[in-house]
Amino acid sequence: MKLQTWLIPFAGLLAAPVDAGHAQPAPSVASAPPSVAGWDEFVDSLRALPGRMLAKLPEDQRNDPQVQQEVGRLALEALAAQTLDAIAGDPDHPAFISQIGQVLNVGQPNADTVYRTARVRPEGTYRLRGVRGTLRLFNISQSPPSPGEPGFKPEGGARTRHEFGDLHVDAQGRFDVILSPERPAGYKGDWWKLEPTTTKLLMRMVSADWAKEQDPTISIERVDIPITRPRPPAADLEQRLRQLPGAVNFLALLFVDHVEKLRQEGYVNKLKVFDITQVAGLLTGQAYYEGAYDLADDEALIVEAKAPAKCGYRSLILTNDLYETTDWYNNLSSLNDAQAPLDKDGVLRIVVSAKDPGVPNWLDTAGHRRGLIQGRWTDCDSQPTPSVRKVALADVRKSLPPETPTVSPAEREKLIRERRAALQERPLW
């Protein structure tokens, strides 16, 4: 049947005159629509958020239409990340949900890390089980209340971290561990103590060789209450909505001027130690270094450091001026120890530039003339802060060891395609 023929009966109905004897009554004067408690306050808090973020930036950035739209995107990322938690976070029936990453690009997520969170109650008893996988870094940190939540304390405090590599596994590589305030009576299996201030678990799954390493699987359940989930009461839903503005504002404003502060301190095209001791316990054994960069299209930075003799993991990433990690799915904007080999003298050398210099260890600024370089050493016997020197792009090769291989455009394209596929095949959500 032709589409036109099939539509004829409906066209006739649409064209038919209204029967005066069956005319619809005139609409009454509209009354005020019912409202959702807390919604207007939530919307009002968002209205001014991008302007408050822009106010933390220098005038040239505040007036740049490109930066303005990127600030809008960052505000949306913060909103989406915190909204997911507000919708899905349930300490009585928890699940690990995505926190930050390529899409929720807030706070400079590490390109190699899958971040997930689960809500818990400090008095609860939880069972975590799954397949251990082969990642070198797979852990959970206990987190106290965040800004905007009841019980939040600005001073924070130490965060207990648990390593899944410390657990027993069966012949299939499966783990099974209880997390609770006290070890259950008579329980002989693996057990972790749940701290009295913990309301959230942050899981970090760090992969270096994305294509070959096996990511873990994990489930979590509270086992000291009935298994079924009742209808969430209105008061609980309202509380989540009312807490959301504080959480969104905190996350959106937290690092928006981080790169600019480094510029004001004079760390442009040079690096300094990034002190993260204020989150003690969360990243034990991990040292950061960072600095802003400023490059023309015909310039390059060469980042150099004598690599530690022993190192569990290392990486170097780029961010834009708003501290969003530069798109690492479609660009070579991150390199780790499996991707960036050392030179034969034991020195790590990485080139940062807008154009491909045709060498293996290249970080692509991906259209960002300015941004940030950040590196990390994890479980290493030293934590050197690399030197940085700026050279003409044309002089990159003669600034590197003579045995440095050449990477052709075709080889680079293949590398990026394989990189993107390996990333997308990880359990990101």
Side-chain angles (χ1 to χ4, degrees):
M1 179 183 295
K2 292 184 178 180
L3 178 62
Q4 295 90 333
T5 305
W6 185 79
L7 286 173
I8 286 174
F10 296 94
L13 286 173
L14 292 172
V18 176
D19 185 343
H22 296 83
Q24 297 297 314
S28 58
V29 177
S31 57
S35 62
V36 174
W39 184 263
D40 288 345
E41 295 87 342
F42 165 62
V43 173
D44 289 342
S45 74
L46 292 178
R47 186 171 289 108
L49 178 58
R52 293 166 57 208
M53 295 166 68
L54 286 167
K56 301 186 75 171
L57 300 175
E59 185 177 2
D60 63 327
Q61 293 189 54
R62 290 199 302 269
N63 296 330
D64 185 336
Q66 177 73 29
V67 174
Q68 291 170 355
Q69 291 301 322
E70 289 172 347
V71 162
R73 176 183 64 196
L74 180 59
L76 286 174
E77 290 163 350
L79 171 61
Q82 299 292 29
T83 300
L84 280 176
D85 181 51
I87 294 172
D90 185 340
D92 293 329
H93 299 82
F96 282 102
I97 61 172
S98 183
Q99 186 197 40
I100 57 175
Q102 165 76 351
V103 176
L104 306 177
N105 194 348
V106 191
Q108 174 268 310
N110 181 27
D112 300 315
T113 306
V114 174
Y115 302 86
R116 294 180 182 170
T117 59
R119 288 283 177 178
V120 294
R121 296 192 193 279
E123 71 274 13
T125 297
Y126 298 88
R127 182 186 185 189
L128 290 79
R129 49 182 167 163
V131 176
R132 168 65 180 83
T134 61
L135 303 189
R136 279 176 280 170
L137 297 172
F138 175 32
N139 55 57
I140 279 181
S141 297
Q142 299 191 35
S143 176
S146 301
E149 299 175 2
F152 167 70
K153 295 181 179 180
E155 64 271 18
R159 300 182 180 187
T160 302
R161 191 176 79 178
H162 306 286
E163 299 290 343
F164 285 90
D166 296 338
L167 300 177
H168 297 92
V169 294
D170 64 17
Q172 287 73 46
R174 297 189 64 84
F175 63 86
D176 197 330
V177 59
I178 294 295
L179 176 69
S180 61
E182 303 292 339
R183 178 186 285 274
Y187 180 71
K188 303 298 183 183
D190 284 326
W191 172 75
W192 288 333
K193 179 177 176 58
L194 181 57
E195 302 296 338
T197 59
T198 297
T199 58
K200 184 189 295 185
L201 303 178
L202 169 61
M203 182 170 65
R204 297 162 66 243
M205 300 182 286
V206 186
S207 174
D209 191 338
W210 304 331
K212 294 181 180 178
E213 294 177 343
Q214 179 190 358
D215 280 282
T217 64
I218 188 169
S219 66
I220 180 172
E221 61 176 329
R222 185 171 180 182
V223 296
D224 59 332
I225 61 172
I227 191 170
T228 56
R229 184 189 187 199
R231 182 180 185 178
D236 177 62
L237 298 176
E238 181 180 343
Q239 182 185 38
R240 294 179 187 224
L241 181 58
R242 291 191 180 279
Q243 289 176 184
L244 193 52
V248 174
N249 278 267
F250 172 78
L251 188 58
L253 292 163
L254 181 60
F255 290 116
V256 69
D257 59 345
H258 184 77
V259 182
E260 178 58 26
K261 287 179 179 178
L262 286 170
R263 294 186 183 283
Q264 293 174 0
E265 294 172 11
Y267 288 96
V268 179
N269 296 340
K270 61 181 179 179
L271 303 170
K272 61 172 283 190
V273 171
F274 178 31
D275 183 8
I276 47 84
T277 56
Q278 69 274 16
V279 285
L282 178 60
L283 298 168
T284 302
Q286 186 152 283
Y288 287 92
Y289 56 87
E290 65 179 11
Y293 72 80
D294 196 330
L295 283 173
D297 285 352
D298 60 352
E299 296 176 328
L301 297 179
I302 299 179
V303 181
E304 296 177 282
K306 183 69 175 180
K310 177 185 176 184
C311 195
Y313 166 80
R314 60 172 164 83
S315 73
L316 200 68
I317 67 172
L318 300 180
T319 83
N320 64 10
D321 257 354
L322 301 179
Y323 210 52
E324 295 173 300
T325 305
T326 303
D327 179 2
W328 65 93
Y329 276 53
N330 304 294
N331 308 283
L332 278 171
S333 62
S334 74
L335 290 169
N336 60 46
D337 55 89
Q339 300 163 342
L342 304 178
D343 291 325
K344 64 181 183 180
D345 59 1
V347 174
L348 174 66
R349 294 181 176 90
I350 292 179
V351 179
V352 180
S353 62
K355 296 181 180 179
D356 189 347
V359 299
N361 294 354
W362 171 49
L363 285 178
D364 183 2
T365 60
H368 297 278
R369 186 178 180 277
R370 308 192 331 168
L372 174 133
I373 302 169
Q374 186 180 88
R376 67 193 73 197
W377 309 105
T378 303
D379 298 330
C380 303
D381 58 9
S382 64
Q383 297 87 30
T385 300
S387 64
V388 178
R389 54 193 170 111
K390 185 164 70 172
V391 301
L393 185 67
D395 294 336
V396 164
R397 185 160 292 279
K398 65 183 181 182
S399 303
L400 299 174
E403 67 272 12
T404 301
T406 297
V407 179
S408 69
E411 290 171 328
R412 189 76 79 192
E413 180 177 333
K414 180 181 179 182
L415 174 63
I416 295 173
R417 290 187 185 280
E418 293 301 318
R419 170 189 177 96
R420 181 165 54 200
L423 273 168
Q424 291 189 20
E425 289 174 15
R426 294 193 67 193
L428 303 172
W429 293 92

